[in-house]
Amino acid sequence: MATKKRVVITGLGVIAPNALDIPSFTEAIQNGVSGIQHFPELEALKFSCQVGGVPPVSEEHKRTYFTELQLRNFNSSGILYGVMAGIDAMKDSGLSTKSDRPNWDLGIVFGTGTSGVDKFRESIYKVDNKNVRRLGSTAVAQTMASGISAYLGGMLGAANMVTTNSSACATGTEAVLMGYERIACGKATQMLCGSTSDHGPYLWGGFDAMKVITYKHNDSPTEASRPMSANASGFVPGSGAGALVLESLESAQARGATIYAEILGGHVNSGGQRNGGSMTAPNSEAVQRCIKKALEDSEVLAENIDYINGHLTATSKDPVEIKNWCEALNRRGADFPLINSLKGMVGHCLAASGSVEIVSTILQMHHSFVFPNVNCEDIHPEITQLIAKERIPTKKVSAEINTAIKASFGFGDVNACVIFGKI
């Protein structure tokens, strides 16, 4: 059996509700800066939750990534965010973003939950009004699920595997593992991996109807997302994109690239919507199994995990998630790793959540800090019965993170877990 190649991260990109580039995002998460705001449009539409996280992308900023021709009739925020984060990650890695020939060594796995919701709505109205010929030539590219990977593939000349995955909130973490496996088995040298999510009433309306998003903080948006809090009342919808350049260690070393961290391994599974698992709830047995299998695949002992980047959505399932971590790692009380949730600052970025949160994980490892859990001064009592309060920092702490673990859990009872090591 061929020896697996070691895989490292050499580039990062992020488009988040609280920052549009890596330096700004690093500063924002260190200081607990929220990107959640109130939207009058949602209030006018009688949404119960009228707050959300949307990246503050200006028209001018768009034009640093897209030409005027590309922006003509363009109306897909998910593709916009994904392209921006992806191009930034490539530039950060030092790899070329322009190629006259196909780059056979570069592949893309860039996931999404939906693509071009607003463009699709626009298309429906034009068809219904018998203006089908006015849809434009990019309607299909903007609304097909693989639109994001197709746009990036064309802009970068990527000629290895170029695909889009979709596993609800586990999408971004799964994309990273897919890219990792591609390089580890020697089928690619570099993989651009990440995920993206649209925003707006047509995407968020379903969650509002399900009553899984908070309605209590329309007048105090920065206090709305409260992971692990006793007063958590539902998640806050968010949007954006995260991107990472994965590369074989030998390639990264040969070109003298900055190496942020190594991907040690991971695991993806499903609970089968059995034993408490459902379309919207995780099967705890499957969650624990996913974490344990990730440790096994990475050849990492649970006792050596320094830090957990949780899924932790600010719902009633947060204590259940903490219990699952305790069971899977067999660690409790003061022995539990440091843990936090980015969702307190940016909301739940849905399909983009895994990749945006992985970017935050790598930045914490690289700069030796753990960002604060915002809106979590009143930790849920079921959580403090399991782990010590000091393992849930509410202020930034300096910490040497040699081994970090990230997990994401999505609708459909799907799970993804990845482990990173400092190199």
Side-chain angles (χ1 to χ4, degrees), residues 84-105:
M84 294 169 76
I87 296 296
D88 284 356
M90 287 291 291
K91 289 180 177 177
D92 185 49
S93 74
L95 293 168
S96 173
T97 58
K98 300 185 183 300
S99 175
D100 294 330
R101 297 178 57 80
N103 184 345
W104 308 111
D105 296 323

Side-chain angles (χ1 to χ4, degrees), residues 40-58:
E41 177 188 14
L42 299 180
E43 182 176 4
L45 291 169
K46 298 186 178 353
F47 271 55
S48 59
C49 178
Q50 299 160 13
V51 300
V54 175
V57 178
S58 66

Side-chain angles (χ1 to χ4, degrees), residues 46-380:
K46 298 186 178 353
F47 271 55
S48 59
C49 178
Q50 299 160 13
V51 300
V54 175
V57 178
S58 66
E59 290 298 320
E60 181 183 12
H61 199 59
K62 291 179 188 178
R63 282 161 174 76
T64 63
Y65 299 85
F66 292 85
T67 65
E68 291 295 334
L69 180 60
Q70 288 171 321
L71 287 172
R72 186 180 300 169
N73 296 319
F74 187 87
N75 192 23
S76 173
S77 56
I79 291 175
L80 173 73
Y81 300 151
V83 165
M84 294 169 76
I87 296 296
D88 284 356
M90 287 291 291
K91 289 180 177 177
D92 185 49
S93 74
L95 293 168
S96 173
T97 58
K98 300 185 183 300
S99 175
D100 294 330
R101 297 178 57 80
N103 184 345
W104 308 111
D105 296 323
L106 173 66
I108 297 172
V109 181
F110 220 98
T112 186
T114 57
S115 184
V117 174
D118 285 334
K119 186 67 177 180
F120 194 68
R121 176 180 179 272
E122 175 188 305
S123 299
I124 289 170
Y125 273 93
K126 286 183 177 179
V127 171
D128 287 349
N129 291 333
K130 299 180 175 59
N131 288 325
V132 66
R133 295 185 182 278
R134 300 188 63 185
L135 285 181
S137 61
T138 64
V140 171
Q142 289 185 61
T143 56
M144 66 186 188
S146 58
I148 175 56
S149 58
Y151 266 85
L152 279 168
M155 295 169 84
L156 297 170
N160 203 283
M161 181 174 74
V162 175
T163 191
T164 292
N165 68 308
S166 188
S167 293
C169 307
T171 298
T173 304
E174 180 186 75
V176 168
L177 285 170
M178 290 174 68
Y180 158 76
E181 289 169 356
R182 185 82 178 171
I183 296 172
C185 70
K187 293 184 178 180
T189 303
Q190 294 108 13
M191 295 291 297
L192 174 61
C193 301
S195 60
T196 187
S197 183
D198 287 353
H199 68 265
Y202 303 106
L203 180 59
W204 294 348
F207 297 107
D208 199 81
M210 289 173 67
K211 300 181 179 179
V212 293
I213 52 181
T214 184
Y215 62 90
K216 294 184 176 181
H217 297 276
N218 292 330
D219 296 327
S220 52
T222 61
E223 299 174 12
S225 185
R226 311 183 66 82
M228 294 186 283
S229 165
N231 290 311
S233 55
F235 74 81
V236 171
S239 57
L244 304 95
V245 172
L246 278 52
E247 186 169 359
S248 69
L249 175 61
E250 58 188 4
S251 171
Q253 289 177 331
R255 65 185 189 87
T258 296
I259 296 175
Y260 286 102
E262 180 175 5
I263 300 178
L264 301 178
H267 192 69
V268 174
N269 75 359
S270 169
Q273 300 182 42
R274 301 291 190 274
N275 300 334
S278 68
M279 181 62 74
T280 58
N283 171 344
S284 288
E285 180 185 0
V287 168
Q288 294 172 31
R289 180 181 175 85
C290 188
I291 296 167
K292 290 177 180 178
K293 287 290 185 181
L295 291 166
E296 182 181 316
D297 182 64
S298 306
E299 299 182 347
V300 169
L301 297 175
E303 64 199 56
N304 291 331
I305 297 293
D306 299 311
Y307 162 75
I308 299 169
N309 187 290
H311 187 62
L312 298 166
T313 56
T315 66
S316 61
K317 295 298 181 182
D318 285 4
V320 176
E321 179 178 336
I322 296 297
K323 183 178 180 180
N324 285 332
W325 282 111
C326 288
E327 293 292 332
L329 299 178
N330 194 26
R331 295 176 63 179
R332 293 168 176 77
D335 179 54
F336 195 79
L338 290 165
I339 187 169
N340 58 17
S341 172
L342 185 67
K343 293 180 178 71
M345 297 182 227
V346 301
H348 190 339
C349 295
L350 305 175
S353 62
S355 59
V356 173
E357 291 162 14
I358 286 174
V359 170
S360 79
T361 299
I362 302 307
L363 289 171
Q364 289 174 94
M365 293 185 75
H366 189 64
H367 296 289
S368 300
F369 73 94
V370 174
F371 65 71
N373 287 285
V374 302
N375 303 322
C376 191
E377 292 76 16
D378 56 338
I379 303 171
H380 197 291

